[in-house]
């Protein structure tokens, strides 16, 4: 029997979306407020979803305490209260859009799960804007 377990998490981070090879004008047109030179913050809400078989002995798909520790170590400790553009190596030459943050989180977590599990990342940048990535 397969089903999905979910763990919610949260981090705050600052970012700016822009391309140095574009003019200020074009950056403003494409990225709007997110191009603001002095950065701005978001309260990111994260849902990590893991689909797999229910273990007959434990009744678990995955130990959610263990999943919560993984998320703390790999995501919260890495991204919380950071300036994503300046502090995070992955975003030195890549826009820290919600899309790219979701892919980064997926890549940091997927290595802990074998092929029997399917991982999905849901990331809310605002209460109304969110992205999903599952590899
Ligand atoms: Ni933004």
């Amino acid at each position: 029997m397969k089903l999905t377990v979910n763990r919610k998490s949260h981090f705050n981070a600052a970012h700016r979306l822009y391309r140095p090879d574009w003019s200020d004008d074009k950056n403003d047109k494409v990225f709007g407020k997110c191009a603001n030179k002095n950065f701005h913050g978001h309260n990111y809400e994260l849902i990590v979803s893991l689909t797999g078989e229910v273990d007959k002995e434990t009744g678990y798909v995955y130990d959610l305490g263990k999943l919560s520790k993984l998320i703390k170590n790999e995501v919260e400790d890495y991204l919380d209260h950071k300036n994503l553009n300046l502090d995070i190596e992955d975003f030195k030459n890549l826009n820290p859009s919600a899309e790219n943050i979701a892919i980064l989180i997926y890549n940091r977590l997927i290595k802990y799960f074998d092929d029997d599990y399917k991982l999905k990342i849901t990331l809310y940048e605002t209460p109304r804007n969110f992205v999903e990535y599952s590899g």
Side-chain angles (χ1 to χ4, degrees), residues 14-17 31 33-35 40-42 44 96 125-126:
H15 78 166
R16 177 193 181 198
L17 300 182
F31 297 119
K33 283 182 185 169
C34 273
H40 61 278
H42 288 285
Y44 291 95
E125 191 169 74
T126 72

Side-chain angles (χ1 to χ4, degrees), residues 106-123:
Y106 179 93
N107 289 336
R108 288 181 71 83
L109 293 176
I110 189 66
K111 56 192 176 206
Y112 293 98
F113 307 109
D114 62 39
D115 292 346
D116 298 337
Y117 289 103
K118 191 168 161 43
L119 174 67
K120 184 174 119 182
I121 302 303
T122 305
L123 183 68

Side-chain angles (χ1 to χ4, degrees), residues 10 21 27 38-39 49 52 76 88-89 95 107 109 123 127:
H10 173 85
D21 55 329
N27 273 301
N38 293 326
F39 304 98
S49 307
E76 293 168 17
I88 304 299
E89 193 61 38
N95 259 328
N107 289 336
L109 293 176
L123 183 68

